[in-house]
């Protein structure tokens, strides 16, 4: 694995890792690592940094996969409305019988139910099917 890929892996584990620690782990100088990070940011390989919730905080969330079938010619509007919902963590456009898969996270089952109803009530949505996530076995 090249140094940039190793650097990206380390930042994916902990985006707040000090440059000095990154340099030590990569066996590079601090200025070299800083220059690599800046280059990766400029070239949009690194597009930003984000917060990752603790395992305990994630376990406290009720999550579901919501499969969504969209009316013809309504995809753009529906995607914009789903994007505006803070409970929608991830939204995938997929091939097959459904058009979109939303990963939704809420604080309770009743809140999840309300979000699913809200999604189903969107003008462009024909049908939804939800699977509640019981446990996550692998997440990278």
């Amino acid at each position: 694995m090249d140094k940039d890929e190793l650097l990206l892996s380390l930042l994916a584990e902990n985006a707040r890792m000090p440059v000095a620690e990154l340099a030590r782990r990569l066996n590079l100088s601090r200025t070299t690592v800083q220059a690599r990070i800046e280059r990766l940011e400029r070239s949009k390989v690194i597009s930003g940094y984000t917060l990752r919730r603790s395992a305990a905080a994630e376990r406290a969330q009720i999550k579901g996969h919501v499969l969504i079938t969209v009316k013809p010619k309504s995809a753009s509007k529906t995607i914009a409305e789903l994007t505006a919902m803070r409970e929608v963590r991830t939204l995938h456009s997929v091939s097959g019988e459904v058009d979109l898969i939303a990963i939704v996270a809420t604080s309770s089952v009743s809140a999840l139910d309300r979000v699913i109803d809200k999604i189903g009530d969107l003008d462009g949505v024909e049908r939804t099917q939800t699977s509640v996530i019981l446990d996550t076995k692998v997440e990278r």
Side-chain angles (χ1 to χ4, degrees):
M1 188 180 287
D2 77 347
K3 295 289 185 178
D4 283 351
E5 286 300 318
L6 287 171
L7 174 59
L8 292 169
S9 289
L10 290 170
L11 288 171
E13 286 176 28
N14 179 3
R16 294 187 63 180
M17 188 178 295
V19 174
E21 177 64 16
L22 292 167
R24 187 186 66 72
R25 290 190 183 194
L26 294 169
N27 199 29
L28 296 171
S29 74
R30 186 187 179 292
T31 55
T32 299
V33 171
Q34 186 64 50
R36 283 176 181 261
I37 290 171
E38 289 169 4
R39 180 179 45 79
L40 291 166
E41 289 171 341
R42 273 192 316 276
S43 65
K44 304 291 186 214
V45 172
I46 297 174
S47 62
Y49 299 88
T50 188
L51 172 119
R52 186 172 47 210
R53 297 170 191 250
S54 71
E58 277 299 309
R59 281 191 301 274
Q61 296 276 290
I62 307 299
K63 292 179 272 191
H65 290 178
V66 183
L67 284 64
I68 305 165
T69 303
V70 179
K71 293 177 185 172
K73 299 182 183 178
S74 296
S76 294
K77 183 176 184 249
T78 302
I79 290 168
E81 291 171 330
L82 290 165
T83 301
M85 297 174 139
R86 67 177 178 77
E87 299 89 351
V88 175
R89 291 263 188 98
T90 309
L91 184 62
H92 302 281
S93 174
V94 296
S95 63
E97 293 183 29
V98 299
D99 301 301
L100 303 168
I101 299 175
I103 311 301
V104 178
T106 63
S107 59
S108 68
V109 173
S110 60
L112 180 62
D113 187 46
R114 286 191 299 276
V115 171
I116 293 165
D117 287 345
K118 188 175 172 183
I119 291 171
D121 288 341
L122 294 176
D123 190 43
V125 172
E126 284 186 337
R127 181 174 58 255
T128 65
Q129 179 182 342
T130 303
S131 295
V132 175
I133 299 170
L134 301 175
D135 190 21
T136 299
K137 302 298 184 186
V138 175
E139 185 170 41
R140 295 190 174 108

